[in-house]
Amino acid sequence: MSDSEHILSLVSSILALLLIFFILVTRKQTRFNLPPGNMGWPFVGETIGYLKPYCATSIGEFMEQHISRYGKIYKSNLFGEPTIVSADAGLNRYILQNEGKLFECSYPRSIGGILGKWSMLVLVGDMHRDMRIISLNFLCQARLRTHLLKEVEQHTLLVLNSWKDNSVFSAQDEAKKFTFNLMAKHIMSLEPGKPETELLKKEYVTFMKGVVSPPLNFPGSAYRKALQSRSNILKFIEQKMSERLTKMKKGKENMEEDDLLGWLLKHSNLSTEQILDLILSLLFAGHETSSVAIALAIYFLQGCPEAVQQLREEHLEIARAKKQSGEVELKWEDYKKMNFTQSVVNETLRLGNVVRFLHRKALKDVRYKGYDIPCGWKVLPVIAAVHLDPSLFDHPQHFNPWRWQQNNGRSPVSASGCPCPSPSPSPSTNNNFMPFGGGPRLCAGSELAKLEMAVFVHHLVLNFKWELAEDDQAFVFPFVEFPKGLPIRIHRHTLK
């Protein structure tokens, strides 16, 4: 058989497979009353359009067009699977509340391949529950009070004290430095600036580039480099485990090493592989999302002087009270006084949407609002679409911290472009606010993330003024990131 005949035979086989695929999909769809939508190209579907970069304070052209054409619940083919996409607040809550009953976490294989099969992000069922309980025990409110508040403040000051007056730098990089050093200390008692910490950080940066890249596993690709960095990171963690176990056997434990690694070795029955994947996934979750949220807060606040002024008043009152009592370090009682700061944190998370959507699949045939969601189909609850829905949040594209205040929610826009305080938020605001997911998979580190943001903002507004050194804004790639790193110019000041 000639080469041309081989090629013709191959093309014919591919076309036959595509035809069979369409027939099977069409037959299955006729059994159900599926939402309207477009399945796109075979295999690829509409994934390329869905993942096209867009401004983080919007839902992107793809979502806008599909919602306009098909409604808030529509069908598509994404990540190689038939998918129901939900921009509907009620369906999103329904999906998250029925985790393990009607729906189940279902991330693409490439994510599991790089984070590990024991990562909390991809685990389901009892194993996920057990891993989550371990994380919650270590991140409980008692530990936030007694250990983590102090560590968060120390690492905040370590970063902010390095800033020189009238200097220009990447706020995104500084936020990443803060959260990475904090998590490295919290998880493995690594000291910031030490050679081993910097080496781990370098490997982690390469690892992260692969997590957000296409899963193309060939020499030189970002994904292949990330897999190698993952291997190097796990070897590093395993070495730390070995050193810690040796100390424990000899009774030479360092009392200062009160970290997650030590807790796991003492109180869990996890295997070495499970501990490695858990630590890697928590380093990923605790560093990446919190750093982006802090960078977003810096960005939103520079465009809203009214909010910065109210923050300064709130934190100056706390600082003066501490000075009068002779205290230096923040206490839990101080943190609980940061009421407007919590509104800024909430608004940053709502408008910036660090986590845009979640991956789930239907465990059973599900009917919702007259539509069928077939068993086995992927389901994407799009959190960002709810947070930016004008029927749920007044002027959703505006940064308006006052919408979270008890008596100050719906706000006209001032001359500076920042909403001004005026009366009462929509009663559905909190009900539709899901920056950390919900249900049994609610983010275990949500309280730590809010604590980090509040403490960072406390010292930021008391000690600095800042503005953008050049234009930049957050984009979705699909992770939220500032293309230029959010360059800012800072000016030191002292509030009395």
Side-chain angles (χ1 to χ4, degrees):
M1 189 181 287
S2 66
D3 289 344
S4 59
E5 288 175 322
H6 275 298
I7 293 172
L8 184 61
S9 175
L10 179 62
V11 170
S12 299
S13 299
I14 291 173
L15 290 174
L17 286 171
L18 292 178
L19 181 61
I20 292 169
F21 172 81
F22 273 121
I23 291 172
L24 290 174
V25 169
T26 304
R27 282 182 178 176
K28 187 169 184 178
Q29 288 183 10
T30 56
R31 292 172 42 218
F32 298 104
N33 182 30
L34 296 173
N38 180 12
M39 301 304 286
W41 292 92
F43 305 116
V44 176
E46 297 187 296
T47 307
I48 295 173
Y50 184 78
L51 295 179
K52 183 180 179 181
Y54 58 91
C55 176
T57 55
S58 75
I59 59 174
E61 185 179 355
F62 178 93
M63 281 290 292
E64 287 175 357
Q65 290 179 350
H66 279 61
I67 291 172
S68 175
R69 186 177 302 170
Y70 305 119
K72 292 182 181 180
I73 304 172
Y74 62 87
K75 69 182 178 186
S76 183
N77 186 334
L78 299 173
F79 307 102
E81 299 180 62
T83 305
I84 301 297
V85 181
S86 170
D88 182 89
L91 178 53
N92 287 0
R93 283 195 304 273
Y94 185 72
I95 293 167
L96 299 182
Q97 289 166 2
N98 283 281
E99 176 75 27
K101 301 172 186 174
L102 301 177
F103 303 94
E104 183 176 81
C105 179
S106 179
Y107 280 84
R109 287 184 181 178
S110 59
I111 297 293
I114 202 164
L115 289 180
K117 67 179 182 181
W118 297 107
S119 166
M120 280 184 64
L121 190 66
V122 298
L123 282 174
V124 297
D126 292 344
M127 197 63 230
H128 175 269
R129 183 201 62 207
D130 293 345
M131 289 281 203
R132 187 170 184 274
I133 288 172
I134 289 171
S135 302
L136 286 171
N137 284 338
F138 199 69
L139 295 170
C140 64
Q141 191 173 102
R143 188 170 176 81
L144 288 175
R145 286 170 175 261
T146 58
H147 290 74
L148 291 172
L149 174 56
K150 183 176 182 178
E151 285 186 12
V152 168
E153 185 170 33
Q154 287 175 347
H155 282 83
T156 296
L157 292 172
L158 188 66
V159 169
L160 297 189
N161 288 342
S162 70
W163 294 0
K164 295 181 180 179
D165 190 34
N166 204 35
S167 61
V168 175
F169 51 80
S170 164
Q172 180 172 265
D173 287 350
E174 292 297 292
K176 288 185 176 183
K177 183 194 302 181
F178 160 62
T179 56
F180 181 87
N181 286 338
L182 175 65
M183 294 309 295
K185 174 70 174 177
H186 177 52
I187 292 173
M188 290 181 288
S189 295
L190 298 180
E191 295 296 334
K194 293 291 180 68
E196 63 176 3
T197 310
E198 294 304 308
L199 179 63
L200 181 64
K201 187 188 297 182
K202 184 178 179 181
E203 292 286 2
Y204 183 80
V205 169
T206 304
F207 170 77
M208 269 309 303
K209 288 179 180 177
V211 171
V212 301
S213 71
L216 304 174
N217 191 5
F218 56 80
S221 70
Y223 190 79
R224 173 69 68 85
K225 291 178 181 177
L227 289 174
Q228 182 58 53
S229 286
R230 166 186 159 77
S231 177
N232 294 338
I233 292 169
L234 295 183
K235 287 177 184 176
F236 179 92
I237 300 171
E238 193 165 11
Q239 181 184 343
K240 287 294 172 185
M241 285 178 62
S242 178
E243 292 172 1
R244 196 69 63 85
L245 286 169
T246 300
K247 286 182 180 180
M248 289 167 64
K249 288 176 182 177
K250 293 181 178 180
K252 295 182 178 179
E253 287 181 80
N254 187 342
M255 293 304 293
E256 293 180 0
E257 293 180 335
D258 184 16
D259 54 26
L260 178 61
L261 177 59
W263 196 93
L264 288 171
L265 293 174
K266 292 176 187 175
H267 304 291
S268 80
N269 295 316
L270 299 181
S271 67
T272 297
E273 185 183 7
Q274 288 170 333
I275 291 175
L276 293 176
D277 280 358
L278 176 60
I279 287 179
L280 179 61
S281 64
L282 289 177
L283 184 64
F284 164 72
H287 160 258
E288 198 62 27
T289 52
S290 295
S291 64
V292 172
I294 289 169
L296 284 166
I298 293 171
Y299 172 74
F300 291 140
L301 286 170
Q302 61 81 32
C304 192
E306 292 90 344
V308 174
Q309 181 57 36
Q310 189 162 335
L311 281 171
R312 286 199 175 114
E313 291 170 3
E314 179 171 273
H315 291 287
L316 189 56
E317 186 177 342
I318 293 171
R320 284 170 176 162
K322 297 196 72 61
K323 187 175 181 179
Q324 289 177 358
S325 63
E327 296 178 348
V328 177
E329 295 179 349
L330 286 172
K331 303 294 183 187
W332 191 256
E333 294 72 24
D334 302 318
Y335 173 58
K336 300 308 289 185
K337 292 176 184 175
M338 300 178 185
N339 296 319
F340 184 65
T341 305
Q342 291 302 325
S343 296
V344 169
V345 168
N346 285 348
E347 185 66 353
T348 298
L349 295 172
R350 182 201 66 81
L351 181 56
N353 289 292
V354 178
V355 178
R356 313 294 296 187
F357 59 91
L358 303 170
H359 290 263
R360 298 291 185 266
K361 73 175 179 182
L363 296 174
K364 302 176 182 177
D365 292 340
V366 177
R367 177 164 281 246
Y368 186 84
K369 288 187 176 178
Y371 291 132
D372 291 313
I373 303 174
C375 176
W377 275 45
K378 179 177 281 290
V379 185
L380 292 187
V382 184
I383 307 300
V386 175
H387 290 170
L388 298 173
D389 188 337
S391 71
L392 301 174
F393 294 91
D394 198 46
H395 299 294
Q397 259 77 35
H398 289 152
F399 179 73
N400 176 14
W402 295 277
R403 77 171 80 240
W404 301 97
Q405 298 282 286
Q406 198 71 33
N407 297 311
N408 295 303
R410 294 184 177 270
S411 307
V413 179
S414 72
S416 69
C418 181
C420 309
S422 68
S424 81
S426 163
S428 63
T429 293
N430 290 332
N431 197 29
N432 297 310
F433 183 55
M434 298 176 285
F436 300 105
R441 297 186 74 94
L442 178 70
C443 176
S446 59
E447 292 304 317
L448 174 59
K450 290 188 282 188
L451 178 68
E452 289 172 21
M453 293 179 72
V455 172
F456 197 95
V457 165
H458 170 80
H459 289 288
L460 178 68
V461 299
L462 286 179
N463 294 287
F464 298 97
K465 293 180 180 179
W466 68 97
E467 69 266 354
L468 289 183
E470 56 180 296
D471 288 340
D472 199 7
Q473 62 177 316
F475 270 78
V476 182
F477 292 98
F479 287 85
V480 178
E481 191 173 13
F482 288 88
K484 298 179 183 178
L486 188 59
I488 62 170
R489 183 183 300 277
I490 58 97
H491 306 278
R492 279 192 174 274
H493 69 167
T494 304
L495 296 175
K496 298 180 180 179

